[in-house]
Amino acid sequence: MVSSVIVENGKTSPPRKPSAVGIGPGNYRLVGWDMDTTGKKVIDEICQIAGYTPSSSYSQYVMPYKDLDPPAMKRHNMKIVTIGKFRALKDNKTNKVLKTKSEVSALADFLTWLESIRGDAADGVILVYHEPRKVIPAMLLESLKKYNLLDRFKQIVKGFANGFNVAEVKYANIVRAYTLRMLSRTLLNQEKQLDNAKDRACLALQIVQHLSSLEVIKGNDANGSGDSDSAMKKTTEFIREFVQPVEVEEQEYAELKIVFERQNSLKPIFGVLFRVNRRERQHASPLRRLLAEAGIEYAQLRDAWSNGKREGLEKLINEKLPAIEEKKVEDLLILLEGHFDPDKNPKLRVSMDKTVIKIESKINDDKQNNNKCDSGTESPDTTTSDSPHKIKSESSDNSTIVVED
C-alpha cells in the first residue's frame, strides 16, 4: 500500500519507502494520467479519464450509471442532471452539459490513444499519477476487467508510478506536503486548478520531471527542457524504482478486496460513525482500516469481548498490532467498549436523522434565551421545525446523539 506522512503532536514521522517493487531498465514511455470518479471507493464509476504527454493528450468524460456523491461533486465541479427523460453530466462552473461517452467506449478510446503515443517504446507505457493513498489504479483495473479490456491494457502498459511516493521519499527535506497543489506551488511556482482530470494528469507528469531535474541539479531551478527526449529518459530512469508493474497492482488489489471484506464485517461498530459528520468519519476511518489491515474481523472482537471484556479486546489488539501507538489503542478501546457494552457512556450515540445535539450547547442556548427574554429582547422562535434553534425534546436511545467534550 501507499505510504503517507503521519503527523502527531506537531511531529512528522520520517518517510518510508513505498512497497513498489520497481522495474528493470528498458525503453518506456511516460504518460501523465488521472481519473475523476463518482466517489473514492473501488466500486465507484469513472466520470472522466485523461492522459497527457508533452506532444499529445487525451480527455473524455464518461456518463456513469450512479450519481456523484456530494464530495465528488464539489471536488470535480460536476453533477448529474435530468433533462427531460435523459440524464446528463453538467459542469458546475459553466453550467454547460458535458459531452460524454459510455465507460466501455471511453476506455477503448483511451487504450487506442495509448497505443498511438507509445511509439517506439518497446517495453511499454508507464502511467504516472499522483495520489496520497492510491485508489485509481485499482478502479481502472476493475473497470478494464469488467469489459474484457485488461489483456489489451497489459500489452500496452508496463506499470503505474505514483508521484506522491517519489516526492515523499526523495524530497522529504525540501517540501513538507506532497499534494499536487502544494508541489505545484512550491516547485513550479504555479497555481493550478485541480478539479479536472486532464489538468492533474499534466501536472503529475510535470512534477516528476521537475523532481528528476532537481536530482541532477541540486538546489537549482531546473525548469528547462523537461519535454526533450533526453530529459524524459532521465525522468524514466529516475522513477523506475517507484513503478508498480500491472501484475503487482492486480495482486495488491486482490489483497485489498480481502481488507474491504473485513471492513464490511466491522460495519456494526463503525457504520453509525460514518453517518454522523465528516469529523467523525475522519476519526473512525483510520481506526477501521487499522483493524482490517491487521486481519481483525468483527467475530474476533466479539469473542474477545465475551472472553475478557476490555482486557480481552486490549490483548487482541496488542497481539495483532504490536507496534500501534498507545493513543490509538485507547481510541479503539473506547469505541469498542461503547459498542459491546450498552451501559457504558460512549462518546456519541447516533440519531436516525443524523443530527448531532450537544448537551452543553443546549443548556447554554436555553440560558441565553432566558436572559434575552428577561432583558426585554425578543426571543428566537423555536416553534417551527426549520428554526435554527429547534431542538428535539422527545427522543429515544436510538434517536439521540450525545457528544462528550
Side-chain angles (χ1 to χ4, degrees), residues 6 13-14 22 26 62 74 86 102 142 160 167 178 191 237 251 269 289 292 295 311 315 317 319 378 384 387:
I6 301 173
S13 63
V62 177
K74 183 178 180 180
F86 302 96
S102 65
E142 183 73 5
F160 300 87
Y178 310 107
E191 290 288 345
E237 186 64 25
Q251 180 181 351
I269 300 171
R289 188 168 61 246
E311 290 75 14
K315 180 180 178 182
I317 291 171
E319 284 178 356
E378 183 178 355
T384 59
S387 169

PDB file of all heavy atoms in Angstrom, residues 6 13-14 22 26 62 74 86 102 142 160 167 178 191 237 251 269 289 292 295 311 315 317 319 378 384 387:
ATOM      1  N   ILE A   6       2.580  10.827   8.504  1.00  0.00           N
ATOM      2  CA  ILE A   6       1.749  10.806   9.696  1.00  0.00           C
ATOM      3  C   ILE A   6       2.225  11.922  10.619  1.00  0.00           C
ATOM      4  O   ILE A   6       3.381  11.981  10.997  1.00  0.00           O
ATOM      5  CB  ILE A   6       1.840   9.456  10.425  1.00  0.00           C
ATOM      6  CG1 ILE A   6       1.390   8.330   9.486  1.00  0.00           C
ATOM      7  CG2 ILE A   6       1.009   9.465  11.692  1.00  0.00           C
ATOM      8  CD1 ILE A   6       1.607   6.960  10.048  1.00  0.00           C
ATOM      9  N   SER A  13       6.462  11.976  11.045  1.00  0.00           N
ATOM     10  CA  SER A  13       7.247  10.752  11.029  1.00  0.00           C
ATOM     11  C   SER A  13       8.105  10.716   9.782  1.00  0.00           C
ATOM     12  O   SER A  13       7.714  11.233   8.732  1.00  0.00           O
ATOM     13  CB  SER A  13       6.330   9.534  11.046  1.00  0.00           C
ATOM     14  OG  SER A  13       5.537   9.499   9.877  1.00  0.00           O
ATOM     15  N   PRO A  14       9.314  10.150   9.833  1.00  0.00           N
ATOM     16  CA  PRO A  14      10.159  10.070   8.647  1.00  0.00           C
ATOM     17  C   PRO A  14       9.496   9.238   7.571  1.00  0.00           C
ATOM     18  O   PRO A  14       8.814   8.263   7.868  1.00  0.00           O
ATOM     19  CB  PRO A  14      11.440   9.382   9.172  1.00  0.00           C
ATOM     20  CG  PRO A  14      11.009   8.671  10.408  1.00  0.00           C
ATOM     21  CD  PRO A  14       9.899   9.486  11.001  1.00  0.00           C
ATOM     22  N   GLY A  22       9.461  -1.826  -8.364  1.00  0.00           N
ATOM     23  CA  GLY A  22      10.325  -1.294  -9.401  1.00  0.00           C
ATOM     24  C   GLY A  22      10.367  -2.189 -10.631  1.00  0.00           C
ATOM     25  O   GLY A  22       9.876  -3.317 -10.628  1.00  0.00           O
ATOM     26  N   GLY A  26      14.854  -0.223 -19.477  1.00  0.00           N
ATOM     27  CA  GLY A  26      14.151  -0.520 -20.722  1.00  0.00           C
ATOM     28  C   GLY A  26      13.758   0.737 -21.444  1.00  0.00           C
ATOM     29  O   GLY A  26      14.064   1.862 -21.018  1.00  0.00           O
ATOM     30  N   VAL A  62     -17.241  10.642 -19.011  1.00  0.00           N
ATOM     31  CA  VAL A  62     -17.969   9.373 -19.042  1.00  0.00           C
ATOM     32  C   VAL A  62     -19.297   9.550 -18.318  1.00  0.00           C
ATOM     33  O   VAL A  62     -19.355  10.183 -17.254  1.00  0.00           O
ATOM     34  CB  VAL A  62     -17.145   8.248 -18.375  1.00  0.00           C
ATOM     35  CG1 VAL A  62     -17.934   6.951 -18.329  1.00  0.00           C
ATOM     36  CG2 VAL A  62     -15.819   8.060 -19.105  1.00  0.00           C
ATOM     37  N   LYS A  74     -18.317  18.338  -5.413  1.00  0.00           N
ATOM     38  CA  LYS A  74     -17.548  19.517  -5.028  1.00  0.00           C
ATOM     39  C   LYS A  74     -16.120  19.444  -5.550  1.00  0.00           C
ATOM     40  O   LYS A  74     -15.557  20.435  -6.026  1.00  0.00           O
ATOM     41  CB  LYS A  74     -17.546  19.643  -3.501  1.00  0.00           C
ATOM     42  CG  LYS A  74     -16.846  20.881  -2.987  1.00  0.00           C
ATOM     43  CD  LYS A  74     -16.932  20.958  -1.473  1.00  0.00           C
ATOM     44  CE  LYS A  74     -16.218  22.201  -0.953  1.00  0.00           C
ATOM     45  NZ  LYS A  74     -16.290  22.297   0.534  1.00  0.00           N
ATOM     46  N   PHE A  86     -33.731  12.165 -20.084  1.00  0.00           N
ATOM     47  CA  PHE A  86     -32.335  11.764 -20.181  1.00  0.00           C
ATOM     48  C   PHE A  86     -31.501  12.366 -19.049  1.00  0.00           C
ATOM     49  O   PHE A  86     -31.775  13.469 -18.567  1.00  0.00           O
ATOM     50  CB  PHE A  86     -31.746  12.191 -21.525  1.00  0.00           C
ATOM     51  CG  PHE A  86     -32.480  11.635 -22.715  1.00  0.00           C
ATOM     52  CD1 PHE A  86     -33.446  12.392 -23.360  1.00  0.00           C
ATOM     53  CD2 PHE A  86     -32.214  10.361 -23.174  1.00  0.00           C
ATOM     54  CE1 PHE A  86     -34.140  11.885 -24.457  1.00  0.00           C
ATOM     55  CE2 PHE A  86     -32.892   9.845 -24.266  1.00  0.00           C
ATOM     56  CZ  PHE A  86     -33.858  10.605 -24.903  1.00  0.00           C
ATOM     57  N   SER A 102     -19.981   6.300 -23.136  1.00  0.00           N
ATOM     58  CA  SER A 102     -20.116   5.212 -22.171  1.00  0.00           C
ATOM     59  C   SER A 102     -18.733   4.855 -21.648  1.00  0.00           C
ATOM     60  O   SER A 102     -17.711   5.151 -22.281  1.00  0.00           O
ATOM     61  CB  SER A 102     -20.761   3.993 -22.829  1.00  0.00           C
ATOM     62  OG  SER A 102     -19.914   3.470 -23.840  1.00  0.00           O
ATOM     63  N   GLU A 142     -10.272  -2.650 -12.355  1.00  0.00           N
ATOM     64  CA  GLU A 142     -11.599  -3.237 -12.172  1.00  0.00           C
ATOM     65  C   GLU A 142     -12.497  -2.930 -13.368  1.00  0.00           C
ATOM     66  O   GLU A 142     -13.226  -3.799 -13.852  1.00  0.00           O
ATOM     67  CB  GLU A 142     -12.219  -2.708 -10.878  1.00  0.00           C
ATOM     68  CG  GLU A 142     -13.571  -3.293 -10.548  1.00  0.00           C
ATOM     69  CD  GLU A 142     -13.509  -4.735 -10.076  1.00  0.00           C
ATOM     70  OE1 GLU A 142     -12.394  -5.275  -9.905  1.00  0.00           O
ATOM     71  OE2 GLU A 142     -14.584  -5.338  -9.883  1.00  0.00           O
ATOM     72  N   PHE A 160       2.435   1.352 -13.080  1.00  0.00           N
ATOM     73  CA  PHE A 160       1.998   2.649 -12.566  1.00  0.00           C
ATOM     74  C   PHE A 160       3.095   3.240 -11.673  1.00  0.00           C
ATOM     75  O   PHE A 160       3.763   2.509 -10.940  1.00  0.00           O
ATOM     76  CB  PHE A 160       0.731   2.505 -11.727  1.00  0.00           C
ATOM     77  CG  PHE A 160      -0.440   1.928 -12.469  1.00  0.00           C
ATOM     78  CD1 PHE A 160      -0.626   0.542 -12.549  1.00  0.00           C
ATOM     79  CD2 PHE A 160      -1.362   2.748 -13.078  1.00  0.00           C
ATOM     80  CE1 PHE A 160      -1.720   0.002 -13.209  1.00  0.00           C
ATOM     81  CE2 PHE A 160      -2.459   2.223 -13.750  1.00  0.00           C
ATOM     82  CZ  PHE A 160      -2.638   0.845 -13.820  1.00  0.00           C
ATOM     83  N   ALA A 167       8.011  12.125  -4.412  1.00  0.00           N
ATOM     84  CA  ALA A 167       8.258  13.332  -3.629  1.00  0.00           C
ATOM     85  C   ALA A 167       8.473  13.020  -2.158  1.00  0.00           C
ATOM     86  O   ALA A 167       9.350  13.585  -1.506  1.00  0.00           O
ATOM     87  CB  ALA A 167       7.086  14.302  -3.800  1.00  0.00           C
ATOM     88  N   TYR A 178       3.014  16.899   0.164  1.00  0.00           N
ATOM     89  CA  TYR A 178       3.274  16.267  -1.131  1.00  0.00           C
ATOM     90  C   TYR A 178       2.041  16.235  -2.029  1.00  0.00           C
ATOM     91  O   TYR A 178       1.989  15.471  -2.975  1.00  0.00           O
ATOM     92  CB  TYR A 178       3.801  14.847  -0.907  1.00  0.00           C
ATOM     93  CG  TYR A 178       4.947  14.810   0.085  1.00  0.00           C
ATOM     94  CD1 TYR A 178       4.764  14.300   1.370  1.00  0.00           C
ATOM     95  CD2 TYR A 178       6.183  15.319  -0.255  1.00  0.00           C
ATOM     96  CE1 TYR A 178       5.800  14.300   2.278  1.00  0.00           C
ATOM     97  CE2 TYR A 178       7.228  15.320   0.654  1.00  0.00           C
ATOM     98  CZ  TYR A 178       7.034  14.807   1.917  1.00  0.00           C
ATOM     99  OH  TYR A 178       8.062  14.808   2.816  1.00  0.00           O
ATOM    100  N   GLU A 191      -0.067  28.212  -9.657  1.00  0.00           N
ATOM    101  CA  GLU A 191      -1.337  27.912  -9.005  1.00  0.00           C
ATOM    102  C   GLU A 191      -2.244  27.256 -10.033  1.00  0.00           C
ATOM    103  O   GLU A 191      -2.648  27.891 -11.002  1.00  0.00           O
ATOM    104  CB  GLU A 191      -1.989  29.180  -8.457  1.00  0.00           C
ATOM    105  CG  GLU A 191      -1.273  29.778  -7.258  1.00  0.00           C
ATOM    106  CD  GLU A 191      -1.461  28.959  -5.992  1.00  0.00           C
ATOM    107  OE1 GLU A 191      -2.369  28.107  -5.976  1.00  0.00           O
ATOM    108  OE2 GLU A 191      -0.707  29.186  -5.026  1.00  0.00           O
ATOM    109  N   GLU A 237      14.355   6.874 -15.855  1.00  0.00           N
ATOM    110  CA  GLU A 237      15.349   6.183 -15.033  1.00  0.00           C
ATOM    111  C   GLU A 237      15.184   6.563 -13.568  1.00  0.00           C
ATOM    112  O   GLU A 237      15.347   5.739 -12.662  1.00  0.00           O
ATOM    113  CB  GLU A 237      16.756   6.545 -15.523  1.00  0.00           C
ATOM    114  CG  GLU A 237      17.881   5.778 -14.840  1.00  0.00           C
ATOM    115  CD  GLU A 237      17.829   4.276 -15.109  1.00  0.00           C
ATOM    116  OE1 GLU A 237      17.257   3.866 -16.147  1.00  0.00           O
ATOM    117  OE2 GLU A 237      18.361   3.509 -14.274  1.00  0.00           O
ATOM    118  N   GLN A 251      -2.312  -8.087  -7.923  1.00  0.00           N
ATOM    119  CA  GLN A 251      -2.156  -8.879  -6.699  1.00  0.00           C
ATOM    120  C   GLN A 251      -2.541  -8.051  -5.469  1.00  0.00           C
ATOM    121  O   GLN A 251      -3.237  -8.537  -4.563  1.00  0.00           O
ATOM    122  CB  GLN A 251      -0.716  -9.372  -6.576  1.00  0.00           C
ATOM    123  CG  GLN A 251      -0.466 -10.218  -5.332  1.00  0.00           C
ATOM    124  CD  GLN A 251       0.992 -10.662  -5.233  1.00  0.00           C
ATOM    125  OE1 GLN A 251       1.774 -10.490  -6.171  1.00  0.00           O
ATOM    126  NE2 GLN A 251       1.352 -11.206  -4.097  1.00  0.00           N
ATOM    127  N   ILE A 269     -19.904  -1.789  14.106  1.00  0.00           N
ATOM    128  CA  ILE A 269     -19.197  -0.878  15.008  1.00  0.00           C
ATOM    129  C   ILE A 269     -19.057   0.507  14.396  1.00  0.00           C
ATOM    130  O   ILE A 269     -19.354   1.519  15.028  1.00  0.00           O
ATOM    131  CB  ILE A 269     -17.799  -1.432  15.357  1.00  0.00           C
ATOM    132  CG1 ILE A 269     -17.918  -2.793  16.037  1.00  0.00           C
ATOM    133  CG2 ILE A 269     -17.026  -0.449  16.235  1.00  0.00           C
ATOM    134  CD1 ILE A 269     -16.594  -3.496  16.218  1.00  0.00           C
ATOM    135  N   ARG A 289      -9.521   0.954   9.372  1.00  0.00           N
ATOM    136  CA  ARG A 289      -8.504   0.433   8.464  1.00  0.00           C
ATOM    137  C   ARG A 289      -7.404  -0.305   9.223  1.00  0.00           C
ATOM    138  O   ARG A 289      -6.898  -1.330   8.766  1.00  0.00           O
ATOM    139  CB  ARG A 289      -7.912   1.578   7.635  1.00  0.00           C
ATOM    140  CG  ARG A 289      -6.982   1.119   6.521  1.00  0.00           C
ATOM    141  CD  ARG A 289      -6.654   2.241   5.562  1.00  0.00           C
ATOM    142  NE  ARG A 289      -5.990   3.351   6.199  1.00  0.00           N
ATOM    143  CZ  ARG A 289      -6.510   4.565   6.333  1.00  0.00           C
ATOM    144  NH1 ARG A 289      -7.730   4.820   5.898  1.00  0.00           N
ATOM    145  NH2 ARG A 289      -5.837   5.533   6.925  1.00  0.00           N
ATOM    146  N   ALA A 292      -8.777  -3.752  10.027  1.00  0.00           N
ATOM    147  CA  ALA A 292      -8.936  -4.582   8.828  1.00  0.00           C
ATOM    148  C   ALA A 292      -7.602  -5.033   8.272  1.00  0.00           C
ATOM    149  O   ALA A 292      -7.428  -6.196   7.897  1.00  0.00           O
ATOM    150  CB  ALA A 292      -9.722  -3.819   7.770  1.00  0.00           C
ATOM    151  N   GLY A 295      -6.016  -7.876  10.005  1.00  0.00           N
ATOM    152  CA  GLY A 295      -6.702  -9.159   9.911  1.00  0.00           C
ATOM    153  C   GLY A 295      -7.749  -9.381  10.980  1.00  0.00           C
ATOM    154  O   GLY A 295      -8.163 -10.519  11.232  1.00  0.00           O
ATOM    155  N   GLU A 311     -10.134  -6.181  28.777  1.00  0.00           N
ATOM    156  CA  GLU A 311      -8.812  -6.816  28.745  1.00  0.00           C
ATOM    157  C   GLU A 311      -8.678  -7.738  27.534  1.00  0.00           C
ATOM    158  O   GLU A 311      -7.611  -7.842  26.930  1.00  0.00           O
ATOM    159  CB  GLU A 311      -8.581  -7.604  30.037  1.00  0.00           C
ATOM    160  CG  GLU A 311      -8.396  -6.756  31.285  1.00  0.00           C
ATOM    161  CD  GLU A 311      -9.708  -6.166  31.783  1.00  0.00           C
ATOM    162  OE1 GLU A 311     -10.793  -6.635  31.328  1.00  0.00           O
ATOM    163  OE2 GLU A 311      -9.673  -5.234  32.616  1.00  0.00           O
ATOM    164  N   LYS A 315      -5.907  -7.267  24.641  1.00  0.00           N
ATOM    165  CA  LYS A 315      -4.973  -8.355  24.320  1.00  0.00           C
ATOM    166  C   LYS A 315      -4.985  -8.660  22.827  1.00  0.00           C
ATOM    167  O   LYS A 315      -3.930  -8.824  22.200  1.00  0.00           O
ATOM    168  CB  LYS A 315      -5.345  -9.611  25.112  1.00  0.00           C
ATOM    169  CG  LYS A 315      -4.421 -10.789  24.849  1.00  0.00           C
ATOM    170  CD  LYS A 315      -4.850 -12.013  25.677  1.00  0.00           C
ATOM    171  CE  LYS A 315      -3.945 -13.202  25.377  1.00  0.00           C
ATOM    172  NZ  LYS A 315      -4.370 -14.410  26.139  1.00  0.00           N
ATOM    173  N   ILE A 317      -5.853  -6.640  20.326  1.00  0.00           N
ATOM    174  CA  ILE A 317      -5.273  -5.522  19.584  1.00  0.00           C
ATOM    175  C   ILE A 317      -3.756  -5.531  19.686  1.00  0.00           C
ATOM    176  O   ILE A 317      -3.043  -5.328  18.691  1.00  0.00           O
ATOM    177  CB  ILE A 317      -5.851  -4.188  20.104  1.00  0.00           C
ATOM    178  CG1 ILE A 317      -7.327  -4.077  19.737  1.00  0.00           C
ATOM    179  CG2 ILE A 317      -5.077  -3.000  19.536  1.00  0.00           C
ATOM    180  CD1 ILE A 317      -8.032  -2.908  20.382  1.00  0.00           C
ATOM    181  N   GLU A 319      -1.831  -8.088  20.241  1.00  0.00           N
ATOM    182  CA  GLU A 319      -1.285  -9.243  19.522  1.00  0.00           C
ATOM    183  C   GLU A 319      -1.228  -8.985  18.014  1.00  0.00           C
ATOM    184  O   GLU A 319      -0.245  -9.311  17.347  1.00  0.00           O
ATOM    185  CB  GLU A 319      -2.140 -10.482  19.797  1.00  0.00           C
ATOM    186  CG  GLU A 319      -1.929 -11.092  21.163  1.00  0.00           C
ATOM    187  CD  GLU A 319      -2.845 -12.285  21.389  1.00  0.00           C
ATOM    188  OE1 GLU A 319      -3.681 -12.566  20.504  1.00  0.00           O
ATOM    189  OE2 GLU A 319      -2.721 -12.936  22.450  1.00  0.00           O
ATOM    190  N   GLU A 378     -36.227  40.295  22.103  1.00  0.00           N
ATOM    191  CA  GLU A 378     -37.100  39.290  21.517  1.00  0.00           C
ATOM    192  C   GLU A 378     -36.423  37.935  21.513  1.00  0.00           C
ATOM    193  O   GLU A 378     -35.275  37.803  21.089  1.00  0.00           O
ATOM    194  CB  GLU A 378     -37.477  39.692  20.094  1.00  0.00           C
ATOM    195  CG  GLU A 378     -38.455  38.724  19.454  1.00  0.00           C
ATOM    196  CD  GLU A 378     -38.844  39.166  18.067  1.00  0.00           C
ATOM    197  OE1 GLU A 378     -38.429  40.249  17.649  1.00  0.00           O
ATOM    198  OE2 GLU A 378     -39.581  38.415  17.405  1.00  0.00           O
ATOM    199  N   THR A 384     -41.010  26.313  15.167  1.00  0.00           N
ATOM    200  CA  THR A 384     -41.075  25.734  13.828  1.00  0.00           C
ATOM    201  C   THR A 384     -39.960  24.757  13.624  1.00  0.00           C
ATOM    202  O   THR A 384     -38.871  24.899  14.180  1.00  0.00           O
ATOM    203  CB  THR A 384     -40.999  26.832  12.750  1.00  0.00           C
ATOM    204  OG1 THR A 384     -39.781  27.549  12.915  1.00  0.00           O
ATOM    205  CG2 THR A 384     -42.175  27.783  12.855  1.00  0.00           C
ATOM    206  N   SER A 387     -36.524  26.092  12.362  1.00  0.00           N
ATOM    207  CA  SER A 387     -35.814  27.083  13.153  1.00  0.00           C
ATOM    208  C   SER A 387     -34.433  26.582  13.503  1.00  0.00           C
ATOM    209  O   SER A 387     -34.254  25.441  13.889  1.00  0.00           O
ATOM    210  CB  SER A 387     -36.584  27.362  14.450  1.00  0.00           C
ATOM    211  OG  SER A 387     -35.783  28.115  15.339  1.00  0.00           O
TER     212      SER A 387
END
